[in-house]
Amino acid sequence: MGIDEDSLEYHAEDPPGKLEISTTKPTNTQRDLSLAYSPGVAAPCNEIAANPDDAYKYTAKGNLVGVVSNGSAVLGLGDIGAAASKPVMEGKGVLFKRFADIDVFDIELDEADPEKIIDSVRSMEPTFGGINLEDISAPECFTIEETLREEMDIPVFHDDQHGTAIISGAALVNACEIADKDIGELDIVFSGAGASALATARFYVSLGATRENITMCDSSGIITQERAEAGDVNKYKREFARDIPGGDLADAMEGADVFVGLSIGGLVSQEMVRSMADNPIVFAMANPDPEIGYEEAKAARDDDVIMATGRSDYPNQVNNVLGFPFIFRGALDVRATEINEEMKVAAAKALAHLAKQDVPDAVVKAYGDQPLQFGPDYIIPKPLDPRVLFEVAPAVADAAMDSGCARKELDLEEYEERLEARLGKSREMMRVVLNKAKSDPKRIALAEGNDEKMIRAAYQLAEQGIAEPVLIGNPNRIEKTKNRLGLEFDPEIANPREADGEYEDYADRLYKIRKRKGLTKSEAVDMIRRDTNYFGSVMVECGDADAMLTGLTHHYPSALRPPLQVIGTREDANYAAGVYMLTFKNRVIFCADTTVNQDPDAKILAEVAEHTADLARRFNVDPRVAMLSYSNFGSVDNPGTRKPRRAASMLREDPKVDFPVDGEMQADTAVVEEILEGTYDFAEFDEPANVLVFPNLEAGNIGYKLLQRLGGAEAIGPMLVGMDKPVHVLQRGDEVKDIVNLAGVAVVDAQQNE
């Protein structure tokens, strides 16, 4: 089945289309409905009538964008009409929601008269927080946007004009740095003189390009002063008319530093690329076929050609989705009256800056595990990079506030945290821990310091001020990897091979701890020199590091064994346990034990519950503990159900326990409020449990994985609780963000130990 057939099936599947409306408030009871509609809805109506700005307080206006088109210039399809453009506008709505959590109503107007379009859109201002104009032909689009921007008090943005300008502008900033060229001295040639090309040329001037150095070509050739005076070009093209001899695109490209293609495919030959200046920058952005193919342009010359296209199957895709969702996010959140030039420049610079940062593993995987590192083949971020939201939206909001078009002031640090919460509860929860870690960073021993992921994690930990990482490994290997990755930091490295020098005491300490467990002195020396898990464990045990992370390249039991043998459990604990924090859209659940104790008795279960409750509090969660079984409060009586029942009793009888706990109970009883209130109103807690203690390792491991995979939860962990000093054992293959998150947990553990 071809892509056309796949797409038709995709769009036609019930329900047809790609968008739906969902409620954001409870609608389960008669009271809910009376608040949502009559008679309760009168109260917010009256408040808004008295103060129209209260529409942002009581309605969805502040997070609602109107995507408006008449279908007269749909990308790659042309003038197909309003109805036929609706799948594209729905798709735009999908991108707004997916990347920036912005809701959209798509509006398709069956109208060609620009004045009538202006009247229609202007009359909808009470509905929307912003307007995204889309796929409207030039030159009408210029008149429509200019008029609406002047007459409306909300942001109006024609993405076809400004989207490509902003994204390619970010690419141009970085391309200049790589090619060692001054943007103010660039000789820039445009192929195409439509809405997108004109807006892009103007934007390059805002970034520092010289207007007199921009040559624009339309289908008749170079736009010259002579053509302008003869009335051969419209008033918009006249802006870039140059007082130079006429000619065609090939003439214009000779000696140029930059080619910008916003026209049609196949216009540029290899000979034309060869005629350009040294280390040329070629942005061939016609879709679906660029003005010159990626391989052709690269093969045309022996020096570096920095190449970008509009296609996803080549490096440096100029994709508008990198811009409009995040620009509107920032504009909406400060209630901007417009999207001005300062905000667009801020967006481009934020994108350019992000391209120089280490790329998350999830993004690399999404693009076929190809290396993504700042350079000629990576000058702009990828659209699926979640960090674009945190970089671009705050930059846009800040620029709006600085330029005076914001009606609401934001604390940018708090704002970034709110943006993270939009992408999932796990980010919100981890932000709590990471902020605590940053308040007093601790030394973290990274036992697998030679591993690339550990080195990248160390860089992020140091860069963000979360921890003071110590990489345990070979200094030469670590330095080579760090330099290859372009990570500019000077990590602390502990070399186990120096165990007979600086770290000689570590072997003595290991021998002292394990000599009555069958370990000889020579074996202790060998273990310290060869096993970084033992080296790291002794480093923490001796107080030379505050915490340790390992497990990235080891099986969990083999990674856990050294810290258990060397560091052990804390004084008030006899057992360690592994806990996963699962985050759903509106709730958080801690699952224990998922990794350590195979068949715990009641005493172990009680201890695990206490450790997990302590962990929940580090995330600012008040624990409510359920001891799980397949029985509800004695409905089945056998040795298996008595174990969690006894554990719950032990905890309730302990005067030191200051959290509600109950059981044994079935899993749905623990997490469904209606079951607790309706059937078991005698339970110790009347809100659903948020700490689930499973009766054995098998149940715990199965349970958390089912919740994660089928319940759509994000998992953070496993977090090791009960140790005398903070140690966390990663899962093999964890990503850099997992290492950073667990390091943050370890730092907070260490802070509490003090």
Side-chain angles (χ1 to χ4, degrees), residues 26-103:
T27 55
N28 300 318
T29 66
Q30 178 60 40
R31 177 170 172 76
D32 291 339
L33 295 176
S34 69
L35 292 174
Y37 196 51
S38 180
V41 76
C45 290
N46 289 329
E47 293 294 314
I48 295 168
N51 178 16
D53 278 352
D54 277 351
Y56 288 96
K57 181 178 181 180
Y58 295 114
T59 76
K61 175 185 173 81
N63 196 52
L64 186 63
V65 167
V67 173
V68 180
S69 180
N70 66 351
S72 59
V74 178
L75 182 65
L77 299 174
D79 185 356
I80 59 174
S85 74
K86 188 172 178 64
V88 179
M89 303 313 129
E90 284 189 355
K92 196 84 173 184
V94 168
L95 299 178
F96 266 110
K97 189 66 176 178
R98 163 65 176 80
F99 290 103
D101 195 27
I102 293 172
D103 296 316

Side-chain angles (χ1 to χ4, degrees), residues 48 76 151 186 195 199 211 218 329 370 417 480 483 507 567 586 675 722 727 738:
I48 295 168
E151 298 184 0
L186 294 176
R211 186 181 298 272
D218 61 12
R329 180 76 276 157
Q370 295 299 312
E417 294 181 14
K480 285 181 181 178
N483 293 335
I567 297 171
N586 294 312
I675 299 178
V727 174
D738 301 313

Side-chain angles (χ1 to χ4, degrees), residues 333 408 410 413-422:
D333 291 338
K408 181 179 178 182
L410 296 177
E413 192 170 318
E414 292 179 3
Y415 179 49
E416 288 185 35
E417 294 181 14
R418 281 168 40 208
L419 289 173
E420 284 201 280
R422 284 186 176 276

Side-chain angles (χ1 to χ4, degrees), residues 554-614:
H554 295 80
H555 289 293
Y556 195 90
S558 62
L560 180 60
R561 190 175 303 111
L564 279 176
Q565 291 179 351
V566 175
I567 297 171
T569 57
R570 65 194 199 202
E571 285 187 16
D572 62 346
N574 295 305
Y575 301 93
V579 181
Y580 271 96
M581 180 176 76
L582 299 181
T583 61
F584 301 83
K585 185 175 182 180
N586 294 312
R587 72 162 62 175
V588 176
I589 289 177
F590 294 84
C591 296
D593 172 19
T594 57
T595 59
V596 179
N597 300 288
Q598 289 192 0
D599 190 18
D601 59 21
K603 183 179 178 182
I604 297 174
L605 286 179
E607 187 175 309
V608 167
E610 288 190 80
H611 296 331
T612 310
D614 288 342

Side-chain angles (χ1 to χ4, degrees), residues 50 54 73 86 100 608 622 629 671 706 737 747 752:
D54 277 351
K86 188 172 178 64
V608 167
D622 292 327
S629 178
V671 299
L706 284 173
K737 72 176 179 64
V747 169
Q752 290 206 323

